[in-house]
Amino acid sequence: MSSAKPLLSKRQSSSSSSSNGIMHKCQLSTNRSPKKVCLVGSGNWGCVIARIIAANMASSPDVFDPVLTMWVFEETVDGRKLSEIINSDHENVKYLPGYKLPTNVVAVPNLKEAVTGTDVLIFCVPHQFLGKMLPQIKEQGLVPDCIGVSLIKGIDFDDQGVVLVSSIIQTALDIDCSVLMGANVANEVAAGDFCESTLGCNDLRHGAFLQDLFHTNRFRVNVVLDPHGVELCGALKNVVALGAGFCDGLGYGGNTKAAIIRLGLIEMKKFCYRFFDGIKEDTFFESCGVADLITTCFGGRNRKCAELFVKDKGVTWEEMEATVLNGQKLQGTWTAKEVYHIIEKTHSLPEFPLFAAIYRIAFEGADPTTIVKL
Amino acid sequence: MSSAKPLLSKRQSSSSSSSNGIMHKCQLSTNRSPKKVCLVGSGNWGCVIARIIAANMASSPDVFDPVLTMWVFEETVDGRKLSEIINSDHENVKYLPGYKLPTNVVAVPNLKEAVTGTDVLIFCVPHQFLGKMLPQIKEQGLVPDCIGVSLIKGIDFDDQGVVLVSSIIQTALDIDCSVLMGANVANEVAAGDFCESTLGCNDLRHGAFLQDLFHTNRFRVNVVLDPHGVELCGALKNVVALGAGFCDGLGYGGNTKAAIIRLGLIEMKKFCYRFFDGIKEDTFFESCGVADLITTCFGGRNRKCAELFVKDKGVTWEEMEATVLNGQKLQGTWTAKEVYHIIEKTHSLPEFPLFAAIYRIAFEGADPTTIVKL
């Protein structure tokens, strides 16, 4: 996928020009039998998405096999296996209590069994799980026209540059991988609040098919042919949310916070253009762009922890993950580190003063007020 | 300025191609003596701006005459004339109590006297005052190289299409007129909070000169060569804020509000491109665009009144202006009417479903929940 430049070169933003020939496989377009779907993940967001797609699958039996297979990381909850609770009580009592899952959601704790014969693989697990899971899936083997969708927000890097989660999946499994990102606070989606989401794809046929899978009147999915732009927005907005949280912690008003969000959006754009080719400006106006940025900077957990980080001087990110987040991991701090590493390696720090300031406040003890001294 | 199309045709977005030859006048560029500045207006925002520019003028005596003349709409406050209070106590006790004005701000209640010999006219009065004031200023006569800046947020229309306040000033006085708009809640700027603002100009020389007048380390002014885009953002964001307020009144969550703000931004862009030529996409990423939109949709008075409009069924906009706003006028409702008139006249309603829904909720008794049924 990457060009020949040795370090941190731009990635191609569309696989239409990639060497693995994804565009020529015509996945899903020739075989019109009902498609099997496997959702790899059963956390909070995974269960919310399961409710949406299982209902869509049940109502289109010509297009979709009615069973949504959900791979579950097996845990014991109140002495019972989580997969058994889901399959008998139709509720993930640990990660989405209070909301029933449709009866056509079938929990399967064995990963190889879960992915067998599936046409669509939806990834919704912590980023760090992938390293172990992808080889198992590869080993199991996939049907020739299988496609993937990543709902995972995060980025990585290697000596070639920025590495997107969708690219890791694409490379490991040799399948095309779209992404779904947007202003989608999980519990609000579960409650049926109106919202939008953005599906970024390499191939509009996959985009149209996946839109049928995810879209409802209350969860409106726009398809854009810019998967890397969509995915980068989903990851980078969490870094900006730390900046917004620092503002809140310092007691700054709406003008200042709006300025930080705007400067963050500018650096998000710059980062995308700097490290990837083919990013589309319009993507920043989609739900994955400005809308998700707003939601995250006013309501998300990255913002909240960053506010506490300033207010409770001395508290560590790890302590907040353990207490405030009940063991969940912060994505913004992790992404801030990756982003800082990349812009430092490429001698681009002067181009990204806000990202650099956020990193230094979060990890190098810089005064939080430096957020407005860029 | 406008093209020959009979109704609601596109306006030119840069006067470089206009017939009044503004670009060829080289205003302010040849005469290097200190420039006189007159601020026409002394309300809340006017006084905040007076504090900034009076300080800048005092510190650059080579560039600016040290006296900032401020035209004051004369009122009696506690038995004293407001202009006398300002000139003796250096505080506008009615519109910006608690913040001193620099001693080089001189209040002048006579408009003709105030504008005499001025090189820079800054307009910061309610839109509806201009009709009476501009002929008086014209009658008084202006120095040949005088330029204007409008801080007024609002739009109008005639049988040629949308009419901007800056164009009204430009046409009435035959001077070039820039605009200053941004995420600038007045009292936060007065308190010295860090923020940004956008100066939209027709001529970069004027932009650079005006940046010297307005810019400080805490009030950061970006100059863009897109005055109409900047001004339209400043007006249209108040319409979107009504939609955001309806969401709040309905108790909708962050996903829904972010979706409404995003859809509003898309319609703001579409409106600009539909009715004006030469609008720059980058303008929407400036403080006047996305940042001001965010501030206004989370903190402004248009949002607040729209929330109450939904919660207190039966309350009228006029009642809220009288009570909640202490007699001040809502800009969003007025602009929503103008915008609706224009898109209806041009048979463009299907292109602006959110603007249309906001108008119908505000003025035609439509159910507020139609805001998410576009």
mmCIF file of all heavy atoms in Angstrom, chain B residues 3 57 66-67 77 110 126 204 234 238 252 266-267 272 279 294 296 303 309 326-327 366 369:
data_model
loop_
_atom_site.group_PDB
_atom_site.id
_atom_site.type_symbol
_atom_site.label_atom_id
_atom_site.label_comp_id
_atom_site.label_asym_id
_atom_site.label_seq_id
_atom_site.Cartn_x
_atom_site.Cartn_y
_atom_site.Cartn_z
ATOM 1 N N SER B 3 -25.151 40.550 -10.781
ATOM 2 C CA SER B 3 -25.188 40.240 -12.196
ATOM 3 C C SER B 3 -26.555 40.623 -12.744
ATOM 4 O O SER B 3 -27.423 41.115 -12.037
ATOM 5 C CB SER B 3 -24.918 38.760 -12.402
ATOM 6 O OG SER B 3 -26.024 38.022 -11.926
ATOM 7 N N MET B 57 -4.331 51.294 19.306
ATOM 8 C CA MET B 57 -4.073 52.623 18.728
ATOM 9 C C MET B 57 -3.092 53.416 19.599
ATOM 10 O O MET B 57 -2.181 54.074 19.077
ATOM 11 C CB MET B 57 -5.389 53.385 18.581
ATOM 12 C CG MET B 57 -6.280 52.822 17.484
ATOM 13 S SD MET B 57 -7.995 53.423 17.590
ATOM 14 C CE MET B 57 -7.785 55.131 17.120
ATOM 15 N N PRO B 66 -4.154 58.730 18.314
ATOM 16 C CA PRO B 66 -4.410 58.015 19.574
ATOM 17 C C PRO B 66 -5.847 58.087 20.081
ATOM 18 O O PRO B 66 -6.213 57.319 20.967
ATOM 19 C CB PRO B 66 -3.448 58.668 20.563
ATOM 20 C CG PRO B 66 -3.045 59.943 19.937
ATOM 21 C CD PRO B 66 -3.187 59.820 18.465
ATOM 22 N N VAL B 67 -6.674 58.989 19.538
ATOM 23 C CA VAL B 67 -8.056 59.082 20.023
ATOM 24 C C VAL B 67 -8.982 58.151 19.235
ATOM 25 O O VAL B 67 -9.044 58.233 18.005
ATOM 26 C CB VAL B 67 -8.568 60.536 19.915
ATOM 27 C CG1 VAL B 67 -10.081 60.597 20.209
ATOM 28 C CG2 VAL B 67 -7.807 61.435 20.870
ATOM 29 N N VAL B 77 -28.959 57.648 31.679
ATOM 30 C CA VAL B 77 -28.784 56.538 32.625
ATOM 31 C C VAL B 77 -28.633 57.147 34.016
ATOM 32 O O VAL B 77 -27.692 57.918 34.263
ATOM 33 C CB VAL B 77 -27.538 55.699 32.263
ATOM 34 C CG1 VAL B 77 -27.374 54.549 33.251
ATOM 35 C CG2 VAL B 77 -27.623 55.176 30.835
ATOM 36 N N ASN B 110 -23.040 63.073 18.558
ATOM 37 C CA ASN B 110 -23.434 63.599 17.246
ATOM 38 C C ASN B 110 -22.734 62.802 16.153
ATOM 39 O O ASN B 110 -21.506 62.807 16.055
ATOM 40 C CB ASN B 110 -23.078 65.088 17.167
ATOM 41 C CG ASN B 110 -23.505 65.697 15.835
ATOM 42 O OD1 ASN B 110 -22.970 65.342 14.783
ATOM 43 N ND2 ASN B 110 -24.476 66.605 15.884
ATOM 44 N N PRO B 126 -27.179 48.023 15.646
ATOM 45 C CA PRO B 126 -28.209 47.144 15.085
ATOM 46 C C PRO B 126 -28.439 47.489 13.612
ATOM 47 O O PRO B 126 -28.462 48.673 13.241
ATOM 48 C CB PRO B 126 -29.439 47.455 15.929
ATOM 49 C CG PRO B 126 -28.901 47.998 17.221
ATOM 50 C CD PRO B 126 -27.648 48.732 16.844
ATOM 51 N N LEU B 204 -6.243 42.894 0.371
ATOM 52 C CA LEU B 204 -5.349 42.430 1.436
ATOM 53 C C LEU B 204 -4.603 43.569 2.129
ATOM 54 O O LEU B 204 -4.200 43.440 3.278
ATOM 55 C CB LEU B 204 -4.353 41.398 0.900
ATOM 56 C CG LEU B 204 -4.897 39.963 0.801
ATOM 57 C CD1 LEU B 204 -3.820 39.026 0.282
ATOM 58 C CD2 LEU B 204 -5.428 39.464 2.147
ATOM 59 N N GLY B 234 -21.409 34.565 9.619
ATOM 60 C CA GLY B 234 -21.819 35.287 10.823
ATOM 61 C C GLY B 234 -23.329 35.410 10.954
ATOM 62 O O GLY B 234 -23.876 35.369 12.060
ATOM 63 N N ASN B 238 -26.675 31.860 13.175
ATOM 64 C CA ASN B 238 -27.748 32.114 14.137
ATOM 65 C C ASN B 238 -29.006 31.323 13.817
ATOM 66 O O ASN B 238 -29.790 31.007 14.719
ATOM 67 C CB ASN B 238 -28.067 33.616 14.172
ATOM 68 C CG ASN B 238 -26.997 34.421 14.901
ATOM 69 O OD1 ASN B 238 -26.412 33.934 15.856
ATOM 70 N ND2 ASN B 238 -26.742 35.634 14.445
ATOM 71 N N TYR B 252 -32.984 16.264 23.409
ATOM 72 C CA TYR B 252 -32.169 15.356 22.593
ATOM 73 C C TYR B 252 -30.717 15.385 23.062
ATOM 74 O O TYR B 252 -30.244 16.386 23.587
ATOM 75 C CB TYR B 252 -32.245 15.749 21.116
ATOM 76 C CG TYR B 252 -33.585 15.516 20.463
ATOM 77 C CD1 TYR B 252 -33.899 16.152 19.258
ATOM 78 C CD2 TYR B 252 -34.546 14.675 21.019
ATOM 79 C CE1 TYR B 252 -35.124 15.951 18.630
ATOM 80 C CE2 TYR B 252 -35.766 14.468 20.385
ATOM 81 C CZ TYR B 252 -36.055 15.112 19.213
ATOM 82 O OH TYR B 252 -37.257 14.908 18.582
ATOM 83 N N ILE B 266 -23.610 22.353 6.512
ATOM 84 C CA ILE B 266 -23.743 21.983 5.095
ATOM 85 C C ILE B 266 -24.690 22.960 4.378
ATOM 86 O O ILE B 266 -24.406 23.412 3.266
ATOM 87 C CB ILE B 266 -24.291 20.528 4.984
ATOM 88 C CG1 ILE B 266 -23.302 19.519 5.585
ATOM 89 C CG2 ILE B 266 -24.638 20.179 3.541
ATOM 90 C CD1 ILE B 266 -22.015 19.373 4.843
ATOM 91 N N GLU B 267 -25.813 23.314 5.048
ATOM 92 C CA GLU B 267 -26.747 24.252 4.404
ATOM 93 C C GLU B 267 -26.182 25.675 4.357
ATOM 94 O O GLU B 267 -26.448 26.423 3.419
ATOM 95 C CB GLU B 267 -28.126 24.196 5.083
ATOM 96 C CG GLU B 267 -28.794 22.850 4.853
ATOM 97 C CD GLU B 267 -30.292 22.811 5.148
ATOM 98 O OE1 GLU B 267 -30.914 23.872 5.324
ATOM 99 O OE2 GLU B 267 -30.838 21.690 5.184
ATOM 100 N N CYS B 272 -24.304 29.822 0.714
ATOM 101 C CA CYS B 272 -23.233 30.709 0.231
ATOM 102 C C CYS B 272 -22.938 30.452 -1.243
ATOM 103 O O CYS B 272 -22.890 31.386 -2.061
ATOM 104 C CB CYS B 272 -21.962 30.512 1.059
ATOM 105 S SG CYS B 272 -22.089 31.093 2.756
ATOM 106 N N ILE B 279 -17.034 32.299 -3.140
ATOM 107 C CA ILE B 279 -16.909 31.912 -1.736
ATOM 108 C C ILE B 279 -15.807 30.848 -1.611
ATOM 109 O O ILE B 279 -15.710 29.951 -2.442
ATOM 110 C CB ILE B 279 -18.250 31.327 -1.218
ATOM 111 C CG1 ILE B 279 -19.373 32.349 -1.344
ATOM 112 C CG2 ILE B 279 -18.112 30.793 0.212
ATOM 113 C CD1 ILE B 279 -19.297 33.519 -0.405
ATOM 114 N N ILE B 294 -20.094 26.592 16.601
ATOM 115 C CA ILE B 294 -20.062 25.796 17.838
ATOM 116 C C ILE B 294 -20.433 26.670 19.041
ATOM 117 O O ILE B 294 -21.303 26.323 19.847
ATOM 118 C CB ILE B 294 -18.664 25.163 18.045
ATOM 119 C CG1 ILE B 294 -18.411 24.077 16.995
ATOM 120 C CG2 ILE B 294 -18.521 24.588 19.458
ATOM 121 C CD1 ILE B 294 -16.982 23.543 16.967
ATOM 122 N N THR B 296 -22.053 29.423 19.203
ATOM 123 C CA THR B 296 -23.431 29.915 19.143
ATOM 124 C C THR B 296 -24.428 28.798 19.424
ATOM 125 O O THR B 296 -25.486 29.036 20.001
ATOM 126 C CB THR B 296 -23.683 30.527 17.749
ATOM 127 O OG1 THR B 296 -22.634 31.433 17.446
ATOM 128 C CG2 THR B 296 -24.997 31.266 17.698
ATOM 129 N N ARG B 303 -29.814 30.181 20.714
ATOM 130 C CA ARG B 303 -29.992 28.812 21.206
ATOM 131 C C ARG B 303 -30.875 28.783 22.446
ATOM 132 O O ARG B 303 -31.799 27.980 22.555
ATOM 133 C CB ARG B 303 -28.625 28.200 21.538
ATOM 134 C CG ARG B 303 -28.651 26.724 21.915
ATOM 135 C CD ARG B 303 -27.615 26.395 22.983
ATOM 136 N NE ARG B 303 -27.895 27.075 24.226
ATOM 137 C CZ ARG B 303 -28.812 26.703 25.109
ATOM 138 N NH1 ARG B 303 -29.556 25.642 24.890
ATOM 139 N NH2 ARG B 303 -29.007 27.396 26.216
ATOM 140 N N PHE B 309 -38.502 28.251 23.722
ATOM 141 C CA PHE B 309 -39.634 28.237 22.794
ATOM 142 C C PHE B 309 -40.280 26.849 22.777
ATOM 143 O O PHE B 309 -41.503 26.712 22.701
ATOM 144 C CB PHE B 309 -39.119 28.622 21.401
ATOM 145 C CG PHE B 309 -40.188 28.693 20.342
ATOM 146 C CD1 PHE B 309 -40.977 29.829 20.226
ATOM 147 C CD2 PHE B 309 -40.384 27.643 19.458
ATOM 148 C CE1 PHE B 309 -41.959 29.904 19.235
ATOM 149 C CE2 PHE B 309 -41.361 27.714 18.474
ATOM 150 C CZ PHE B 309 -42.153 28.848 18.366
ATOM 151 N N ASN B 326 -34.002 41.182 27.755
ATOM 152 C CA ASN B 326 -33.999 42.538 28.309
ATOM 153 C C ASN B 326 -34.107 43.600 27.223
ATOM 154 O O ASN B 326 -33.451 44.636 27.285
ATOM 155 C CB ASN B 326 -32.695 42.714 29.112
ATOM 156 C CG ASN B 326 -32.864 43.745 30.210
ATOM 157 O OD1 ASN B 326 -33.991 44.100 30.570
ATOM 158 N ND2 ASN B 326 -31.748 44.243 30.725
ATOM 159 N N GLY B 327 -34.911 43.297 26.198
ATOM 160 C CA GLY B 327 -35.158 44.274 25.142
ATOM 161 C C GLY B 327 -34.285 44.137 23.908
ATOM 162 O O GLY B 327 -34.540 44.774 22.886
ATOM 163 N N ALA B 366 -45.089 24.455 13.309
ATOM 164 C CA ALA B 366 -44.717 23.053 13.040
ATOM 165 C C ALA B 366 -44.209 22.392 14.328
ATOM 166 O O ALA B 366 -43.641 23.055 15.202
ATOM 167 C CB ALA B 366 -43.647 22.987 11.957
ATOM 168 N N THR B 369 -40.352 18.397 16.738
ATOM 169 C CA THR B 369 -39.657 17.136 16.419
ATOM 170 C C THR B 369 -39.396 16.978 14.919
ATOM 171 O O THR B 369 -38.619 16.116 14.519
ATOM 172 C CB THR B 369 -40.449 15.908 16.912
ATOM 173 O OG1 THR B 369 -41.696 15.846 16.210
ATOM 174 C CG2 THR B 369 -40.708 15.966 18.412
#
